[in-house]
Amino acid sequence: MSRPAVVGRSLRLALGTLTALPVPAVLRVTPGVATGALVLAPLAVLPLGALVGLAVWAGGETPVPSLAVAFVALALLALGSRALHLDGLSDVADGLTASYDRERSLAVMKGGTAGPAGVVAVVLVLGVQAAALATFVGGARSAVIAGTAVCASRAALWITCAGPVPPARPDGLGSTFTRRAPVWWTLLGWAALAGAAALVHPWRGPLAVGLAAFVVLLLVVRAVRRFGGVTGDVFGATIELALATLLLALAGHHN
């Protein structure tokens, strides 16, 4: 398969997995295509980042309270991603609190129903995201930064799917993408994000990126210890936590 063909299939796979955009299905996922989809993850969600940025900017031109605008923007983001990442966050919270038995925790996560811990996790994380995003409502520059944060949060997959991180199950979404992100790309990619974030704020920008990477790494380590590896739910949970961390760390320091 030619390199352009691999890139095209990788982009379609990333779009189909991370967004609700209608794209032709990728019926055969090779290791190269899976790796390419992970590398392109932040780029694939540009439409969602643009949607959030537009909502934040447009909301600032109305008398609607900033917090309400932020919740609308997050609702659009959830619709644009089929709320899969929020579902993953809920399942991981339930799995971590259900039992110290690995198989029991994995069964709870696979069940699909939201328990008390899952509901609380989603409410708290969405609340943090909304409160932080509300500070971005207004100018065009802030809107662009908010949209970019949405894209950057998908770089959580570079850590979650890095070479040393094992899958918790031999099947499912986790087995398709786990161990497909090269370690060198993970390090280089996050370093590049930190450098780009310096354009937002000379030290708070890189700090925000560093904190997001640290939070993602903490959850990945916890998942490996509790579940024996990561799952598709862990992918979603790390994305939501990365977005919350980025927005919170940059709140009020982006104008």
Side-chain angles (χ1 to χ4, degrees), residues 92 96 101-107 109-110 160-162 164-179 219-235:
V92 169
L96 288 174
D101 178 74
R102 172 182 178 273
E103 295 303 325
R104 170 60 180 161
S105 293
L106 288 174
M109 291 167 64
K110 197 172 184 178
T160 313
C161 301
V165 183
R169 302 190 189 98
D171 58 353
L173 182 66
S175 62
T176 301
F177 293 100
T178 306
R179 289 180 166 163
L219 181 56
V220 169
V221 170
R222 183 64 172 163
V224 171
R225 289 179 177 174
R226 284 293 311 278
F227 311 140
V230 295
T231 66
D233 287 328
V234 178
F235 297 173

Side-chain angles (χ1 to χ4, degrees), residues 85-127:
H85 310 319
L86 291 170
D87 179 67
L89 175 65
S90 174
D91 287 344
V92 169
D94 285 334
L96 288 174
T97 57
S99 169
Y100 282 103
D101 178 74
R102 172 182 178 273
E103 295 303 325
R104 170 60 180 161
S105 293
L106 288 174
V108 168
M109 291 167 64
K110 197 172 184 178
T113 57
V119 172
V120 169
V122 170
V123 170
L124 289 178
V125 172
L126 277 178

Side-chain angles (χ1 to χ4, degrees), residues 57-81:
W57 171 79
E61 301 299 311
T62 70
V64 176
S66 296
L67 186 58
V69 172
F71 270 113
V72 169
L74 291 174
L76 293 173
L77 179 59
L79 288 173
S81 58

